[in-house]
Structure formats: C-alpha cells, structure tokens
Amino acid sequence: MGIDERKFRILQAIIDDYILTAIPVGSRTISKKYETSLSSATIRNEMSDLEELGYLDQPHVSAGRVPSPKAYRLYVDQLLQQGKILAANQESIRAHFQDRARQMEDVIGHAAQVLSSLTHYTALVMSPKGTELRVRNVQLVPVSSSSALLVIVTDGGIMRDAVIRVGGEMDVEALYAISRMLTDRLSGRTLSEARQVLSGEPEEASRRQQMLSEIAEFIGEVEKQNAVGKLAVGGSSNILNFPEYSDVEKAKSFLSVLETKEKLLQLLEQNREMAFTVRIGPETGIPELVDCSLVTASYRLGNQTQGTVGVIGPTRMQYGQVLGILRAMGEQLSRLLEQDKE
Amino acid sequence: MGIDERKFRILQAIIDDYILTAIPVGSRTISKKYETSLSSATIRNEMSDLEELGYLDQPHVSAGRVPSPKAYRLYVDQLLQQGKILAANQESIRAHFQDRARQMEDVIGHAAQVLSSLTHYTALVMSPKGTELRVRNVQLVPVSSSSALLVIVTDGGIMRDAVIRVGGEMDVEALYAISRMLTDRLSGRTLSEARQVLSGEPEEASRRQQMLSEIAEFIGEVEKQNAVGKLAVGGSSNILNFPEYSDVEKAKSFLSVLETKEKLLQLLEQNREMAFTVRIGPETGIPELVDCSLVTASYRLGNQTQGTVGVIGPTRMQYGQVLGILRAMGEQLSRLLEQDKE
DNA sequence: TGTTAGCACTCGACATCATTGAGTGCTAAC
DNA sequence: GTTAGCACTCAATGATGTCGAGTGCTAACA
C-alpha cells in the first residue's frame, strides 16, 4: 500500500491543523475544514491507512490523530524539494543589523535575539570556528615592565589576546623587533603550523626562548578554544509558550539541555556543510529533545561554511516559515562577514 | 506590642522550616520540632500576634503560616549583623578556577556556572565596568593594506579592539610611529579624557586626521559598551526545581526577566558599593520577581568595587548558605583580578 | 498573668463517580 | 469507492463527600 495523492493531501491537512492547534485532529475536522468534498467516514478510512503506514499516531483510542516524526519528515522533504524556501523578512532582518556591531560575539548574540523574536521559538547562533584561521600579524604590546599583551591577527578578522610574562624587563623597541620577527616567521600559516614552528625552535634557555614557548602554548589554547565556535542562545523561555511544555519536568529538561552548550555545539556541527538541515524529534539524537525539532541553516564566506544558525521548537513547528527566516538570517550573516572581510 | 525574644525564636523556627519545605507551617509543627517546651496552643497565640505585626501571612484560614517579606528582612538583618557570613566552600571554589582562564568573559561565565551549581539557584555574575579605565598603551596592528587593528590596553588588563580603516596605504613603520605618538599622548588618561584629546585636534583634513577621529569615535563606543559590564547567567532552569515555580506562567515570566540583561544589570548596579545586598521580594523593584530574592556580593580591586556576583531564588532562600558562598566567590574573583594585575 | 487542653469550625486536597462529547471502527447500504 | 448509522471508548469536566491539618476561642489551671 503506497501513499497516493489524496492520502498525502489529507496528511498535509492533518499536519497543518496540528501545527496550528496542538490538538489531536479528528476526521470530522478534516472533512469540514479541508476536504469538504469527502465525508468524515472516508477520511477515517484514509486516516486508518495512514496510521498503519506509520504516518499518524493516536494518543489514545478515542482521540484524534497526531502526525508522527515520519509524517513531519515527509512534509519537510516535500517543502525542501519544492525549493519554496524564500528568504522571508529579508528587510526586517537587515534593519536589525543597521548599527554595525564590531565584535563577533555581539553579532551572534543579537542575531539569536532577533531570530527568537521573529520565530517565537528558541534560537541558536554559532559563531565561525577558527580551525583554519591563518596568521596575518603578531604584535606584542607592552603592558607593564614585565609583561606584554600578545595580539594575534588572523584572516578571519578575528583576533585573540593574552598577557604574556616577559622575563625581566624588555623595552618597547625590543618587543617591536620580536613582533616583526614573529610576523615574518608566522604570517600565512595556520595556527597549528605556527605553533609547530615555535615549538621546533632550538632549546636555548634564554629569556626570549622562554617567551616564545609561552606564546606557542598560548596559540595551542587559542586553537582549542576556537576549534569550537561560540554559541549564543536566544528566547529560551519561548518554549514555555507551547502547551506541550506546560509540564514543568519537560520544560526543565529542555532548558537544562540549553545550558550545556557543548551538546548544542555538537548538534550544530553535524552536517554543517548543508545549506539547511531539519532534524525531527528522535533524529536530534538527544533524548531530552525527543519532541523537539531542530532546523538549521549555514552561513558562508565564499564557499566555506562559517557558522550555523538554528531554531529549536516543538516537532509541530512552522517549518516553512522558520526555514524562510533562517535563510534570510543566514544570508544576512554571510553578507556581514563579507563586508567585514572588505 | 513589640517582638520579644520568644516571638523571635518562633519566627525564626517558622522561617527555617518554611525555607526547607515550602509548606505553610502550623503551630503543631513548631511545638513538636522546634519549641518542644511549649504547646501548640501557646505557639498559636504567638503566631497570631506575629501575623498581626505583619511578620506572617496566612494563605487561607485553615492553613499554616508563611513568612512575609518583612520576616525575611528581619531574619537576614539578624544574619548580617551577627557577622556570621563565613566564606564557605573556599577551597572547592578555588579548585574550580585552577585552569586560569585568560579572558574575563570566560571567567564570569565559569563563575556563574559554579555559583549556580553550588547554590542550586540562578546565578548572575557581572564583569568589571570600565568607566574609570586608564589607557596604558595604544597600538595599531596592520591587517591589510588599507586597514589596521586598533588595540587599546588599559590598566584593567582589559583591552578592546576594532578594525580601523586607514585611508590609503600606510606602511608598518608609519603605523608604528603613530602608535607611539598615541601612546605618549594618551597613556595615563581615562577613556573619556583620551577621546577629548583626540577630538580637540586641529581640523586638518588629512588622512591621518581622519584616522584619529575614527579612533576617537571608537573610544566613544568602547566607553559606552563598557559603561555597563558584561553579564553571565548560570542555572536559569534551576528555578524550576522549586515548587513555587511549578506554575508555567510564573516560570515563564521569571525566565523572561533573565533574558533581558539590561534589567538585571541595572539591578546589580544598585548598591554596588555594598559588600553584600539582600533584596527580598518586592524590594527588587521588578514585578516579575515579587516572590524572588536577590542576594549579591561585590568583588573588588584595592578599595574599588569592580563587579558583582549574585544569586536569584525564591524568597524562601537559604540566605545564610548563599551569603557564605557569595562571599567566597567574591573573594576568589577579587584574588583573580589581583593576580591579573600582577 | 501566662499556659494549656478541648472543641467547633474552616477549607484545601484528594478520591470517587457520573456526565459529556469528541472521536473511532465497523457494518450495511448506496 | 463512498457514506450514513451506530455502538463503543476514553479523556475531560464537574459535583460530591471525606479527610486532615490548622485555626480561634473558651475555660480551666498554675
């Protein structure tokens, strides 16, 4: 038994209605609101078939039907295939980024807020990872007589800093000379290459040598920190708008997941190359999120995925709308990166 | 009618019990668990008095009594007066900060996590404000041929950066010269002084002049951004552990407040000079937090308050314990600042 | 004058029970 | 293949009764 066109229409009607109301939908509802040419009895037969096929679940015997993850999957695939994901709200989103924020962290925080208020779901925004960053410039800035600030400029426009102890005093000129030397030696290399270059230095136990190894160590830390992007979460409390989370226990476990950023990052990492991903219920792989869906879109610089924006909500999510908004947001962020790069 | 010693003991017993159980406490409970030498009838008389005095509320006529904010206030004042706030968990907190985090933002985020997991309430940690920062060093680091990264080192060890457009090309040496000039001119000044110095420059429409004014503008932004500290929130979902928030509507409004960081910052700003503050229920001034309390402690560098750590929980909070933990956390953060300063 | 025992009263919490209504599955007729 | 009809199921709702914790008051006691 396959799923013919009429079955599909009915399924779609059920999903649409359930997304709107969160109430199990019965045969009469469909017959009255969507398929007026069919009687409820006919619908019942079809629904019975759809249940057998695994597209519908029945909370209990005398309740209406509820779409299963499999149904949402079909629904979304259809959506994606049709390529109907228009970049909605383009203008309104752009408006939110008028005042150029200088720091990436502000940008992703802001983006998460905007996204959550547009969708009414919980928003996740991941900043660019830094694995492939290349060094452009290295500079030591004197802080006190015995310490200096190490600034590493990379091509991401991103920059990291740390206070490095300079054994004994070292004057401005000396620091400057070292900076030039380091820049010469390291520029164009990735962070891990740079670290290797520094570590490979001959072991002369001089002050300078000690400083270099401290720098190498620091680069290692930066690498580690940057290997995972930063994450901003917006609208965590939005989930409580939905009746499926009026159970406090459920809400709590959901919110707890939001607080462990590692899990979320891992989640956003998967399939990061895809322009869009939709993970429905169990597909998220996180037990606490079994009746949530995660929709993500990537943003890019050139051809390379830089980061991911996503939305988490109940499985009965307004997929079409969310995909549209995510697309717009992704494009906006891509554009932002572009112009930062200049 | 005053509040004699026995009344106070009874009130304290009621508060202690209610903090533990969240169940309105009746006269028999007190007579059995706390004041075994008195009968429940006597306790009842005293409780009746205490209610009349405004220290107790009665949810409904045949229920036990619940402490009013006024009661908590008395309780806490007593606690504070006795100076019994020992820095608890000193060691365990110190252990959490073993691996020195380099960036202030990581530190406050981490602190919020630790604080929330120790107290089981929601934690707030505010980073140092930067109003009174003094410039130590200014450096322009070349990024591309037409832009440079501006790095300003201040005495907070804190540093801000931005990409500045350099009109036309400018070689490394030129940037370096400008950096030295700026450092000479600005070091020792506060940010706002520095901005004034730059803005006061004669209007020569040269490239350099344009760059300087861009720098001045940037300093202005930094000032604005830094005027409010950064805020980290930890354990937002902890509030759901408490029965008073098993009502989803309440939980939602609480969590919504947590998402508007401005309000929280404002809250933490008040009385920032105090070593400790305790705001109970309505005293917070935020309607959504009427049955929450906010306890804060400050951390310092020298004699100056740098930032604030705080805990939000239900009014029936374990004030003693929380104050102890906050104190320890504050001291730990102060120490951290100290050693960063070196 | 303060303390206590006793007692009537109140009221939320909880369990029970009947009612209602939405929805199904099945069958027979169209 | 579609539809009307009907019996059946079951969650939700609301009424009812009981239970128990807790109070306030009074009278007796030390």
Side-chain angles (χ1 to χ4, degrees), chain A residues 105 173 180 237 241 252, chain B residues 105 173 180 241 252 259:
Chain A
E105 279 168 20
E173 296 302 333
R180 294 201 72 167
S237 68
N241 290 326
K252 185 168 155 57
Chain B
E105 279 168 21
E173 295 303 332
R180 293 201 73 167
N241 290 326
K252 185 167 156 56
E259 280 176 27

Side-chain angles (χ1 to χ4, degrees), chain A residues 36-57:
Chain A
T36 43
S37 63
L38 294 179
S39 82
S40 65
T42 311
I43 308 280
R44 267 205 295 282
N45 289 330
E46 295 288 43
M47 283 167 91
S48 183
D49 290 352
L50 283 168
E51 183 171 2
E52 208 172 318
L53 288 165
Y55 290 105
L56 293 179
D57 290 328

Side-chain angles (χ1 to χ4, degrees), chain A residues 100 102-103 105-106 113 136-137 139 141-144 146-147 149 151 153 159-163 165 172-173 176 180 217-218 221 225 230 235-238 240-241 245-246 248 251-252 255-256 259 342, chain B residues 100 102-103 105-106 113 136-137 139 141-144 146-147 149 151 153 159-163 165 172-173 176 180 217-218 221 225 230 235-238 240-241 245-246 248 251-252 255-256 259 342:
Chain A
R100 56 181 173 178
R102 304 273 191 165
Q103 307 216 12
E105 279 168 20
D106 296 341
Q113 289 231 331
R136 269 201 190 163
N137 200 306
Q139 194 90 19
V141 184
V143 170
S144 72
S146 67
S147 66
L149 183 77
V151 179
V153 183
M159 192 234 35
R160 289 289 151 176
D161 58 277
V163 175
R165 238 153 273 258
V172 183
E173 296 302 333
Y176 182 59
R180 294 201 72 167
E217 186 202 336
F218 166 67
E221 265 181 53
Q225 257 191 35
K230 297 250 170 185
S236 342
S237 68
N238 279 357
L240 298 176
N241 290 326
Y245 280 87
S246 55
V248 181
K252 185 168 155 57
L255 290 170
S256 298
E259 281 176 26
E342 93 230 59
Chain B
R100 53 179 175 181
R102 303 274 191 164
Q103 306 216 12
E105 279 168 21
D106 297 340
Q113 289 231 332
R136 271 202 189 162
N137 200 308
Q139 195 91 19
V141 184
V143 171
S144 72
S146 67
S147 66
L149 183 76
V151 179
V153 184
M159 193 235 34
R160 291 287 148 174
D161 58 279
V163 176
R165 239 154 272 258
V172 184
E173 295 303 332
Y176 181 58
R180 293 201 73 167
E217 186 201 336
F218 167 67
E221 264 180 54
Q225 256 191 38
K230 296 250 170 186
S236 343
S237 68
N238 278 357
L240 298 177
N241 290 326
Y245 280 87
S246 55
V248 182
K252 185 167 156 56
L255 290 169
S256 298
E259 280 176 27
E342 93 228 57

Side-chain angles (χ1 to χ4, degrees), chain B residues 179 248 275 296:
Chain B
S179 302
V248 182
T296 70

Side-chain angles (χ1 to χ4, degrees), chain B residues 168-208:
Chain B
E169 67 267 19
M170 199 166 249
D171 72 2
V172 184
E173 295 303 332
L175 284 177
Y176 181 58
I178 295 180
S179 302
R180 293 201 73 167
M181 182 273 286
L182 286 172
T183 302
D184 279 354
R185 202 105 64 90
L186 303 180
S187 81
R189 303 188 191 256
T190 66
L191 289 177
S192 63
E193 283 167 4
R195 186 162 46 87
Q196 278 160 12
V197 168
L198 289 182
S199 308
E201 290 283 311
E203 269 299 341
E204 24 154 345
S206 67
R207 283 203 323 246
R208 209 182 107 180

Side-chain angles (χ1 to χ4, degrees), chain B residues 26-203:
Chain B
S27 52
R28 270 196 78 209
T29 313
I30 299 298
S31 138
K32 279 206 292 193
K33 286 210 293 185
Y34 300 89
E35 298 284 332
T36 42
S37 63
L38 294 178
S39 82
S40 64
T42 310
I43 308 280
R44 265 203 299 282
N45 289 330
E46 296 287 45
M47 283 167 92
S48 183
D49 290 353
L50 284 167
E51 184 172 1
E52 208 172 317
L53 288 165
Y55 290 104
L56 293 180
D57 289 329
Q58 207 170 5
H60 56 90
V61 59
S62 78
R65 303 304 213 288
V66 164
S68 71
K70 189 174 169 188
Y72 288 120
R73 171 50 59 201
L74 186 69
Y75 180 88
V76 168
D77 285 348
Q78 178 76 4
L79 222 57
L80 291 172
Q81 265 179 36
Q82 290 179 345
K84 276 201 200 151
I85 312 306
L86 301 177
N89 299 66
Q90 193 63 271
E91 263 322 303
S92 103
I93 289 178
R94 186 197 301 253
H96 280 291
F97 288 95
Q98 279 303 16
D99 47 342
R100 53 179 175 181
R102 303 274 191 164
Q103 306 216 12
M104 201 57 200
E105 279 168 21
D106 297 340
V107 173
I108 65 169
H110 194 183
Q113 289 231 332
V114 170
L115 200 50
S116 70
S117 80
L118 281 177
T119 59
H120 306 296
Y121 300 111
T122 300
L124 304 176
V125 181
M126 192 178 72
S127 74
K129 295 205 305 179
T131 36
E132 282 310 306
L133 291 182
R134 280 173 190 282
V135 175
R136 271 202 189 162
N137 200 308
V138 179
Q139 195 91 19
L140 285 161
V141 184
V143 171
S144 72
S145 61
S146 67
S147 66
L149 183 76
L150 170 67
V151 179
I152 299 176
V153 184
T154 62
D155 56 358
I158 290 169
M159 193 235 34
R160 291 287 148 174
D161 58 279
V163 176
I164 295 289
R165 239 154 272 258
V166 187
E169 67 267 19
M170 199 166 249
D171 72 2
V172 184
E173 295 303 332
L175 284 177
Y176 181 58
I178 295 180
S179 302
R180 293 201 73 167
M181 182 273 286
L182 286 172
T183 302
D184 279 354
R185 202 105 64 90
L186 303 180
S187 81
R189 303 188 191 256
T190 66
L191 289 177
S192 63
E193 283 167 4
R195 186 162 46 87
Q196 278 160 12
V197 168
L198 289 182
S199 308
E201 290 283 311
E203 269 299 341

Side-chain angles (χ1 to χ4, degrees), chain A residues 67-254:
Chain A
S68 71
K70 190 175 169 188
Y72 288 119
R73 171 50 60 201
L74 185 68
Y75 180 89
V76 169
D77 284 349
Q78 178 76 4
L79 223 57
L80 292 172
Q81 264 178 37
Q82 292 180 344
K84 276 201 200 150
I85 312 306
L86 300 177
N89 299 66
Q90 192 63 272
E91 263 320 302
S92 103
I93 288 179
R94 186 197 300 252
H96 280 291
F97 287 96
Q98 280 301 18
D99 46 343
R100 56 181 173 178
R102 304 273 191 165
Q103 307 216 12
M104 200 58 199
E105 279 168 20
D106 296 341
V107 173
I108 65 169
H110 194 182
Q113 289 231 331
V114 170
L115 200 49
S116 71
S117 80
L118 282 176
T119 59
H120 306 297
Y121 299 111
T122 300
L124 303 176
V125 181
M126 192 177 72
S127 74
K129 296 204 305 178
T131 36
E132 283 310 308
L133 291 181
R134 282 175 190 281
V135 175
R136 269 201 190 163
N137 200 306
V138 179
Q139 194 90 19
L140 285 161
V141 184
V143 170
S144 72
S145 61
S146 67
S147 66
L149 183 77
L150 171 66
V151 179
I152 300 176
V153 183
T154 62
D155 56 359
I158 290 170
M159 192 234 35
R160 289 289 151 176
D161 58 277
V163 175
I164 295 289
R165 238 153 273 258
V166 188
E169 68 267 17
M170 198 166 250
D171 72 2
V172 183
E173 296 302 333
L175 285 177
Y176 182 59
I178 296 180
S179 303
R180 294 201 72 167
M181 182 273 286
L182 286 172
T183 302
D184 279 354
R185 204 107 63 91
L186 303 180
S187 81
R189 303 188 191 256
T190 66
L191 288 177
S192 64
E193 282 167 4
R195 185 163 46 87
Q196 278 161 13
V197 169
L198 289 182
S199 308
E201 291 281 310
E203 268 299 341
E204 22 155 345
S206 68
R207 279 203 327 241
R208 209 183 107 179
Q209 181 52 36
Q210 200 191 345
M211 199 171 81
L212 290 187
S213 76
E214 201 170 336
I215 293 177
E217 186 202 336
F218 166 67
I219 293 180
E221 265 181 53
V222 169
E223 261 187 290
K224 211 169 54 190
Q225 257 191 35
N226 256 42
V228 295
K230 297 250 170 185
L231 179 71
V233 179
S236 342
S237 68
N238 279 357
I239 196 74
L240 298 176
N241 290 326
F242 303 103
E244 36 270 81
Y245 280 87
S246 55
D247 175 24
V248 181
E249 278 312 307
K250 266 190 173 178
K252 185 168 155 57
S253 72
F254 177 87

